[in-house]
Amino acid sequence: MSVTDEISAFVQMGRRKNVKELCEAALSDGYTAKEILNEGLIVGMMAIGEKFKKDEVYVPEVLIAARAMNTGVEILKPYLTKEGVEPVGKAVICTVKGDLHDIGKNLVKMMLEGVGIECIDLGTDVSADKVVEAAESSGAKVVALSSLLTTTMEYHKDIIDSLERAGLRDKVKVMIGGAPVSEDFAKQVGADAYTPDAASAADVALSFFE
Ligand code: B1M
């Protein structure tokens, strides 16, 4: 087993200490930070995402794996900057106005970061104006919206209409997700994509940067 395979396995097990030690060891052995990121950490996070999609692991395992991955990313960060690895691109992410649920949104954020997308996280209960402002100032190419309440679903449309009014609708892809929304709802409000879980959200977001 290569050291990057081992890193991937330890990410999936959520073993921060092992991930940290192996990232340091791999750097000393001459692996580039990019190789460690792409062949170790991201492979591990994608694997946990796939297992999550199939209900083979649950929320706590995903959170622990993401924490282990982030420990590795912290070790690699200075080397990645030196090697000139640019993030894939930027996404603005939030839970819509009136809704305070953030566990799903945070999982989506972690999966997006796991595939190299920089996330501007506006948190929960976020107004359309704030989303427009963040999309405009950051130049993000993706806006990712989460909601868990049927009573706040309507705010997706509010945000999409506000992006349109601000002249940003052609510049950003809007993705939505969360328990009460669906593919049909996404079409109805004019979103570019609906995904049912965090792992597929990362796949779709990545496709918007190709
Ligand atoms: Co609330 N809550 N809650 N709650 N809560 C629900 C959602 C509810 C279904 C429970 C119920 O009644 N059975 C219900 C909504 C009913 C409805 O609207 N039809 C409900 C209610 C009513 C409320 C309050 C109104 C209760 C009250 O005060 N009377 C209140 C609302 C507060 C507010 O938001 N204004 C409230 C409050 C809370 C807590 C604060 C206690 C807590 C939130 C803590 C937190 O988030 N930090 C809470 C919780 C935990 C839940 C349940 C139990 C669990 C939600 C969760 O985190 N699931 C929930 C019941 C349930 O879902 N069984 C419930 C795990 C999470 C990983 O899943 O967020 O669905 P989820 O994310 C998934 C996918 O949906 C998807 O990916 C994730 C993982 O793969 N996904 C995306 C999510 N966003 C995505 C975005 C994407 C793509 C995929 O692209 C951008």
Side-chain angles (χ1 to χ4, degrees):
M1 201 190 239
S2 71
V3 67
T4 45
D5 288 344
E6 280 187 75
I7 290 170
S8 161
F10 280 124
V11 165
Q12 292 174 60
M13 288 185 266
R15 303 258 288 268
R16 286 168 91 175
K17 194 164 171 274
N18 299 84
V19 170
K20 178 177 182 287
E21 284 166 5
L22 281 174
C23 285
E24 286 164 347
L27 286 167
S28 317
D29 286 352
Y31 281 83
T32 64
K34 196 176 171 184
E35 282 167 339
I36 301 167
L37 179 71
N38 291 336
E39 294 162 30
L41 298 173
I42 290 181
V43 169
M45 205 56 208
M46 293 303 274
I48 204 84
E50 287 305 314
K51 289 181 188 166
F52 186 55
K53 247 196 265 185
K54 292 187 224 150
D55 281 338
E56 290 169 10
V57 297
Y58 297 98
V59 175
E61 286 97 329
V62 180
L63 294 175
I64 291 166
R67 205 180 56 169
M69 185 197 78
N70 285 332
T71 302
V73 170
E74 284 307 311
I75 303 288
L76 300 182
K77 246 182 202 165
Y79 298 88
L80 289 169
T81 320
K82 220 171 16 187
E83 287 167 19
V85 178
E86 293 294 326
V88 173
K90 289 182 195 166
V92 169
I93 186 165
C94 68
T95 305
V96 302
K97 193 173 168 191
D99 192 335
L100 299 173
H101 296 86
D102 70 355
I103 298 171
K105 185 266 295 170
N106 290 342
L107 281 174
V108 173
K109 178 186 171 190
M110 283 173 195
M111 296 307 294
L112 260 58
E113 288 179 341
V115 297
I117 298 169
E118 184 185 334
C119 288
I120 296 131
D121 185 357
L122 305 180
T124 60
D125 186 19
V126 178
S127 68
D129 287 351
K130 276 194 189 154
V131 175
V132 169
E133 199 184 299
E136 196 154 35
S137 61
S138 66
K141 204 168 167 188
V142 167
V143 168
L145 306 173
S146 180
S147 67
L148 265 280
L149 298 172
T150 44
T151 47
T152 58
M153 284 164 69
E154 63 187 274
Y155 288 115
H156 287 104
K157 178 141 175 49
D158 239 36
I159 292 169
I160 293 167
D161 290 348
S162 298
L163 287 166
E164 181 87 57
R165 280 196 298 275
L168 291 174
R169 192 61 192 92
D170 302 343
K171 299 191 179 94
V172 296
K173 297 285 185 190
V174 179
M175 308 174 49
I176 69 168
V181 302
S182 63
E183 189 85 57
D184 278 352
F185 179 78
K187 285 196 188 118
Q188 213 177 298
V189 294
D192 298 293
Y194 156 80
T195 55
D197 55 64
S200 26
D203 293 343
V204 170
L206 203 52
S207 75
F208 289 140
F209 290 99
E210 278 165 5

Short mmCIF file of all heavy atoms in Angstrom, two decimals, residues 118-143:
data_model
loop_
_atom_site.label_atom_id
_atom_site.label_comp_id
_atom_site.label_asym_id
_atom_site.label_seq_id
_atom_site.Cartn_x
_atom_site.Cartn_y
_atom_site.Cartn_z
N GLU A 118 -13.04 26.57 -3.03
CA GLU A 118 -13.00 27.49 -1.88
C GLU A 118 -14.42 27.95 -1.58
O GLU A 118 -15.13 28.41 -2.48
CB GLU A 118 -12.11 28.68 -2.25
CG GLU A 118 -11.90 29.65 -1.12
CD GLU A 118 -11.12 30.89 -1.58
OE1 GLU A 118 -10.34 30.82 -2.55
OE2 GLU A 118 -11.33 31.94 -0.95
N CYS A 119 -14.85 27.81 -0.32
CA CYS A 119 -16.23 28.18 0.02
C CYS A 119 -16.31 29.46 0.83
O CYS A 119 -15.61 29.61 1.83
CB CYS A 119 -16.89 27.06 0.82
SG CYS A 119 -17.24 25.62 -0.16
N ILE A 120 -17.16 30.36 0.40
CA ILE A 120 -17.46 31.56 1.18
C ILE A 120 -18.76 31.22 1.91
O ILE A 120 -19.83 31.17 1.29
CB ILE A 120 -17.60 32.79 0.27
CG1 ILE A 120 -16.25 33.06 -0.40
CG2 ILE A 120 -18.04 34.03 1.05
CD1 ILE A 120 -16.33 33.24 -1.86
N ASP A 121 -18.62 30.91 3.19
CA ASP A 121 -19.76 30.40 3.96
C ASP A 121 -20.46 31.55 4.66
O ASP A 121 -19.92 32.16 5.58
CB ASP A 121 -19.24 29.37 4.98
CG ASP A 121 -20.37 28.70 5.75
OD1 ASP A 121 -21.55 29.06 5.55
OD2 ASP A 121 -20.06 27.81 6.57
N LEU A 122 -21.69 31.85 4.23
CA LEU A 122 -22.44 32.97 4.82
C LEU A 122 -23.26 32.53 6.02
O LEU A 122 -23.98 33.34 6.62
CB LEU A 122 -23.35 33.60 3.76
CG LEU A 122 -22.67 34.07 2.47
CD1 LEU A 122 -23.71 34.67 1.52
CD2 LEU A 122 -21.58 35.10 2.77
N GLY A 123 -23.22 31.23 6.35
CA GLY A 123 -23.92 30.74 7.53
C GLY A 123 -25.38 30.41 7.27
O GLY A 123 -25.74 29.97 6.18
N THR A 124 -26.22 30.67 8.28
CA THR A 124 -27.64 30.32 8.17
C THR A 124 -28.48 31.60 8.16
O THR A 124 -27.97 32.69 8.44
CB THR A 124 -28.08 29.47 9.39
OG1 THR A 124 -27.86 30.23 10.57
CG2 THR A 124 -27.30 28.17 9.47
N ASP A 125 -29.78 31.45 7.83
CA ASP A 125 -30.72 32.57 7.87
C ASP A 125 -30.22 33.74 7.02
O ASP A 125 -30.13 34.88 7.49
CB ASP A 125 -30.91 33.00 9.35
CG ASP A 125 -31.99 34.06 9.52
OD1 ASP A 125 -32.83 34.22 8.61
OD2 ASP A 125 -31.97 34.74 10.57
N VAL A 126 -29.87 33.43 5.77
CA VAL A 126 -29.18 34.42 4.94
C VAL A 126 -30.14 35.06 3.91
O VAL A 126 -30.83 34.34 3.17
CB VAL A 126 -27.97 33.77 4.21
CG1 VAL A 126 -27.29 34.77 3.30
CG2 VAL A 126 -26.97 33.24 5.24
N SER A 127 -30.14 36.36 3.86
CA SER A 127 -31.04 37.08 2.94
C SER A 127 -30.49 37.06 1.51
O SER A 127 -29.28 36.88 1.30
CB SER A 127 -31.18 38.54 3.39
OG SER A 127 -29.94 39.20 3.20
N ALA A 128 -31.38 37.31 0.57
CA ALA A 128 -31.00 37.37 -0.85
C ALA A 128 -29.94 38.44 -1.08
O ALA A 128 -28.97 38.23 -1.82
CB ALA A 128 -32.24 37.64 -1.70
N ASP A 129 -30.09 39.57 -0.42
CA ASP A 129 -29.13 40.67 -0.59
C ASP A 129 -27.71 40.25 -0.24
O ASP A 129 -26.75 40.59 -0.93
CB ASP A 129 -29.50 41.87 0.30
CG ASP A 129 -30.73 42.59 -0.23
OD1 ASP A 129 -31.15 42.26 -1.35
OD2 ASP A 129 -31.26 43.45 0.50
N LYS A 130 -27.60 39.50 0.88
CA LYS A 130 -26.26 39.07 1.31
C LYS A 130 -25.64 38.11 0.30
O LYS A 130 -24.44 38.15 0.05
CB LYS A 130 -26.36 38.37 2.67
CG LYS A 130 -26.34 39.33 3.82
CD LYS A 130 -26.08 38.58 5.12
CE LYS A 130 -26.27 39.52 6.30
NZ LYS A 130 -26.64 38.80 7.51
N VAL A 131 -26.46 37.24 -0.28
CA VAL A 131 -25.94 36.29 -1.26
C VAL A 131 -25.45 37.05 -2.50
O VAL A 131 -24.34 36.79 -3.00
CB VAL A 131 -27.03 35.25 -1.67
CG1 VAL A 131 -26.52 34.34 -2.78
CG2 VAL A 131 -27.46 34.42 -0.47
N VAL A 132 -26.26 38.01 -2.95
CA VAL A 132 -25.89 38.79 -4.14
C VAL A 132 -24.57 39.53 -3.88
O VAL A 132 -23.65 39.49 -4.70
CB VAL A 132 -27.02 39.78 -4.50
CG1 VAL A 132 -26.55 40.79 -5.55
CG2 VAL A 132 -28.25 39.03 -4.99
N GLU A 133 -24.49 40.16 -2.72
CA GLU A 133 -23.31 40.94 -2.36
C GLU A 133 -22.06 40.03 -2.35
O GLU A 133 -21.02 40.38 -2.92
CB GLU A 133 -23.54 41.50 -0.95
CG GLU A 133 -22.68 42.66 -0.55
CD GLU A 133 -23.01 43.01 0.91
OE1 GLU A 133 -24.19 43.35 1.18
OE2 GLU A 133 -22.10 42.89 1.75
N ALA A 134 -22.19 38.83 -1.75
CA ALA A 134 -21.04 37.92 -1.65
C ALA A 134 -20.66 37.38 -3.02
O ALA A 134 -19.46 37.27 -3.34
CB ALA A 134 -21.37 36.77 -0.70
N ALA A 135 -21.66 37.06 -3.84
CA ALA A 135 -21.36 36.52 -5.18
C ALA A 135 -20.64 37.58 -6.00
O ALA A 135 -19.67 37.30 -6.70
CB ALA A 135 -22.65 36.08 -5.87
N GLU A 136 -21.10 38.81 -5.88
CA GLU A 136 -20.52 39.91 -6.65
C GLU A 136 -19.09 40.21 -6.21
O GLU A 136 -18.17 40.28 -7.02
CB GLU A 136 -21.38 41.16 -6.46
CG GLU A 136 -21.11 42.23 -7.49
CD GLU A 136 -22.34 43.12 -7.67
OE1 GLU A 136 -23.04 43.37 -6.67
OE2 GLU A 136 -22.58 43.55 -8.81
N SER A 137 -18.89 40.34 -4.88
CA SER A 137 -17.57 40.75 -4.40
C SER A 137 -16.54 39.64 -4.53
O SER A 137 -15.35 39.90 -4.69
CB SER A 137 -17.64 41.27 -2.97
OG SER A 137 -18.10 40.23 -2.13
N SER A 138 -16.97 38.37 -4.47
CA SER A 138 -16.00 37.28 -4.51
C SER A 138 -15.74 36.78 -5.92
O SER A 138 -14.74 36.12 -6.18
CB SER A 138 -16.50 36.11 -3.67
OG SER A 138 -17.66 35.55 -4.27
N GLY A 139 -16.66 37.06 -6.83
CA GLY A 139 -16.56 36.52 -8.18
C GLY A 139 -16.81 35.01 -8.22
O GLY A 139 -16.35 34.31 -9.12
N ALA A 140 -17.53 34.50 -7.21
CA ALA A 140 -17.81 33.05 -7.15
C ALA A 140 -18.59 32.60 -8.39
O ALA A 140 -19.42 33.36 -8.91
CB ALA A 140 -18.61 32.73 -5.90
N LYS A 141 -18.32 31.39 -8.83
CA LYS A 141 -19.00 30.87 -10.01
C LYS A 141 -20.20 29.99 -9.63
O LYS A 141 -21.02 29.64 -10.46
CB LYS A 141 -18.00 30.05 -10.82
CG LYS A 141 -18.33 29.94 -12.27
CD LYS A 141 -17.17 29.37 -13.04
CE LYS A 141 -17.61 28.96 -14.42
NZ LYS A 141 -16.57 28.25 -15.13
N VAL A 142 -20.23 29.61 -8.33
CA VAL A 142 -21.32 28.75 -7.86
C VAL A 142 -21.95 29.36 -6.62
O VAL A 142 -21.25 29.88 -5.75
CB VAL A 142 -20.77 27.33 -7.54
CG1 VAL A 142 -21.78 26.51 -6.76
CG2 VAL A 142 -20.38 26.59 -8.82
N VAL A 143 -23.29 29.30 -6.57
CA VAL A 143 -24.02 29.67 -5.35
C VAL A 143 -24.76 28.42 -4.90
O VAL A 143 -25.56 27.85 -5.65
CB VAL A 143 -25.02 30.83 -5.63
CG1 VAL A 143 -25.97 31.02 -4.46
CG2 VAL A 143 -24.26 32.13 -5.89
#
